[in-house]
Amino acid sequence: MKQFIPILDWLPRYKRSYLKGDVQSGLTVAIMLVPQGMAYGLLAGLPPIYGLYASLFSLVLYAVFGTSRELSVGPAAIVSMLVAAGIFSLGEDLSTTEMVSIAVSIALLAGIMQFLLGVFRLGVLVNFLSHPVIAGFASAAAFIIAFSQLKHLLGIPLQRSNNIFVLAGDAIEHIGQLHWITLGISVVSIIIIQGLKRISKAIPTALIVVLFGTLAVVGFNLDQQGVAVIGKVPEGLPPFAWPDLSADRILSIWPIAVTICIISFIESVAIAKTMGRQQSSPRIDPNQELIALGITKIGGAFFQAFPTSGSFSRSAIHVESGAKTGISSLISALIIVLTLLFFTEWFYYLPKAVLAAIIISAVINLVDYKEARHLWSADRRDFWTMLTTFVATLLLGIQNGVLMGVLLSLAIMVYRNSRPHIAVLGQLPNSRRYRSISRFSNARQHEEVLIVRFDAQLYFGNADYFRDEIERLVAREGRALQLFILDASSIHDIDTTGAEALGEVIEILQGRNIRFFISGVVGPARDALSRHGLMQVIGERNQFIQIHDAVEYYHTAADAADSSWTPDALQTNEPKKKKRK
């Protein structure tokens, strides 16, 4: 039970000394989360109050089931944008009730997916999005999110769309309707947020601009001059309601639910690991994190909450404010409850331009130009992967951009595994060590001997490449070659197709009167060779623990059958045979 419900493990060991840090962190995060949650509710295409609903239940449920003490879970920019994309894909003229129903259904389905992945310990399946793909997707999403807020920043009417070019074109077409007061509020809000962040990240910048915007509207009657405000905000806690998860609804929302399932997990775990390393905290359990994140979505869905995820900015504040345990999140949740019960009417005059400014300031950091610059100098393949995902997301939209990223990650993985590294080895002077001759200029090849190391499992995806490359290397050596040694120390597994390819290599070498030795075979690969009958084909006298044993044996005895010296044979589970005299 403690493994499934971590709060049962840490709560009985709670120390009084933790309380000060937890209270301070809980208050700080709540002050930041109230305006930010409302902003992300607006970003999700819903009334801002639904951002508070999502904040409340994610804080409580993650504190109970989560394994990271640093992670702050709640509404997040990319996931909120994905929710909006899922809603708008089902129609542009939906009522508020219909949009809320769709968002809640997405949360429930994505939560069920995450919960099941965690229960069956399949968290590894969501790792098919490589870091360059995530960086490219997040950078493009930041631009899409920013353009989606132009209508609130500029005070002009724009159509709903997740296509950056449609939004830009529409904005240019309606630029004549620019509302200057709204633009002024937006610009001043962004300047205040960015300026105060440079002074200290602990300053509640979102709350400050909310107060600034609200007071400006009330003091100068700006709502009567065309400035859009939130208006009446429902008071009280969200009611319990069964989400719609009918067959038709599942068929319409499952692609976006899968996307949110993957993105929210990767984003949350990456934040938790980063913060955990900085604080030297115990390692998190990814599968339990899947369960926790799934439960936050499932539980919240029954109380009008759209999908949530970990937030880097709030997690950073969470840690900097002195959080020690999940009690800090429970305190933040208590502040949200008090806000919903007693203070919602205070948000009536809050300008939507201020919420848009909060969103813009939050997503600026998603544009990972530093990573692009690093990849350009470190690995051009990863750079082009990042750029391809970035462009695909801009052109095809967020949902299709993620799908493109997954397919691209899988394609890259398959390509790299199908053409693994193969090294020709030579002996280092005055040693028993053998290294790649392309990397060590002093590595010396023995006459008549070719030593090759294959750095991957030998399976159906690279079996042909393995056979063709060895055949090419053997042909390059010409008639002088008398012995081929395969260093199998990096081959951790061999499937049926790989075994057949190895058998073909042995036949090719026998046809050219070239002896075949193998060294360093690890246990799983040795078991596979036995199952496929290759141990007998290779012969016990041709198997060695070290490369140097094989080379020394070859040079010591031209005819192994007449040699009085016996090499160190590999240890197997078979009974040891007596050495031949």
Side-chain angles (χ1 to χ4, degrees), residues 27-335:
L27 292 173
T28 304
V29 170
I31 290 172
M32 178 183 186
L33 182 55
V34 169
Q36 194 178 74
M38 298 180 73
Y40 290 152
L42 190 68
L43 177 60
L46 306 173
I49 190 64
Y50 287 92
L52 296 184
Y53 295 163
S55 304
L56 172 60
F57 291 97
S58 60
L59 287 169
V60 173
L61 293 172
Y62 185 80
V64 174
F65 295 98
T67 61
S68 171
R69 71 183 187 187
E70 291 84 14
L71 185 64
S72 178
V73 178
I78 291 181
V79 172
S80 298
M81 189 65 193
L82 285 169
V83 172
I87 293 172
F88 299 153
S89 66
L90 300 181
E92 298 184 0
D93 299 321
L94 301 173
S95 66
T96 299
T97 302
E98 290 173 324
M99 290 192 292
V100 170
S101 176
I102 294 170
V104 169
S105 298
I106 292 172
L108 180 58
L109 186 57
I112 291 173
M113 292 176 181
Q114 286 184 326
F115 181 81
L116 292 177
L117 286 174
V119 168
F120 292 106
R121 310 194 69 79
L122 298 174
V124 67
L125 295 180
V126 298
N127 292 334
F128 287 117
L129 277 177
S130 63
H131 182 71
V133 168
I134 290 292
F137 164 75
S139 299
F143 281 96
I144 296 174
I145 291 170
F147 273 78
S148 72
Q149 296 305 300
L150 285 178
K151 60 181 179 181
H152 301 304
L153 292 169
L154 306 178
I156 58 179
L158 296 178
Q159 62 179 301
R160 290 176 175 176
S161 175
N162 290 315
N163 188 303
I164 189 172
F165 303 103
V166 172
L167 291 169
D170 205 18
I172 294 173
E173 183 179 343
H174 293 88
I175 196 66
Q177 302 177 40
L178 174 66
H179 194 265
W180 290 100
I181 300 178
T182 299
L183 177 61
I185 293 174
S186 303
V187 172
V188 172
S189 297
I190 293 174
I191 291 174
I192 291 175
I193 292 173
Q194 296 301 318
L196 293 178
K197 276 184 178 179
R198 293 190 176 186
I199 297 174
S200 174
K201 293 182 179 180
I203 297 176
T205 55
L207 181 63
I208 290 173
V209 295
V210 163
L211 292 174
F212 151 75
T214 303
L215 292 175
V217 170
V218 174
F220 298 99
N221 296 318
L222 298 182
D223 57 318
Q224 299 177 18
Q225 300 179 46
V227 174
V229 296
I230 289 179
K232 183 173 177 58
V233 178
E235 189 177 74
L237 300 177
F240 176 88
W242 285 96
D244 178 8
L245 209 61
S246 61
D248 291 340
R249 176 60 60 84
I250 292 175
L251 290 174
S252 62
I253 66 171
W254 74 264
I256 203 72
V258 170
T259 304
I260 289 175
C261 168
I262 296 172
I263 292 298
S264 67
F265 173 68
I266 292 176
E267 187 176 25
S268 300
V269 170
I271 295 169
K273 286 183 176 180
T274 301
M275 296 295 176
R277 283 194 296 267
Q278 293 175 357
Q279 300 299 313
S280 300
S281 298
R283 294 185 64 183
I284 64 170
D285 180 353
N287 289 301
Q288 179 60 32
E289 285 299 292
L290 271 170
I291 292 174
L293 293 169
I295 290 176
T296 62
K297 293 178 178 63
I298 295 171
F302 288 94
F303 293 93
Q304 310 294 298
F306 62 82
T308 54
S309 179
S311 166
F312 189 86
S313 59
R314 291 196 301 272
S315 296
I317 297 299
H318 186 70
V319 172
E320 291 173 5
S321 301
K324 300 297 182 182
T325 68
I327 293 295
S328 59
S329 293
L330 296 178
I331 292 173
S332 297
L334 178 61
I335 303 300

Side-chain angles (χ1 to χ4, degrees), residues 542-559:
N542 298 327
Q543 302 175 44
F544 302 84
I545 295 175
Q546 301 290 337
I547 297 174
H548 192 70
D549 291 340
V551 174
E552 192 174 41
Y553 176 56
Y554 172 73
H555 288 305
T556 303
D559 186 353

Side-chain angles (χ1 to χ4, degrees), residues 345-414:
E345 61 181 16
W346 291 18
F347 298 113
Y348 184 93
Y349 292 103
L350 174 60
K352 291 184 177 179
V354 169
L355 296 182
I358 293 173
I359 293 171
I360 295 297
S361 299
V363 302
I364 287 175
N365 296 327
L366 293 178
V367 182
D368 204 347
Y369 63 90
K370 291 183 179 179
E371 180 67 12
R373 188 168 55 191
H374 168 71
L375 293 178
W376 176 258
S377 59
D379 192 328
R380 295 288 174 88
R381 292 176 301 181
D382 282 342
F383 171 81
W384 292 114
T385 299
M386 178 180 177
L387 182 62
T388 301
T389 306
F390 177 82
V391 173
T393 304
L394 288 182
L395 295 177
L396 304 177
I398 287 183
Q399 182 177 338
N400 292 326
V402 173
L403 177 61
M404 181 66 72
V406 172
L407 295 177
L408 188 60
S409 294
L410 291 174
I412 292 171
M413 181 185 69
V414 170

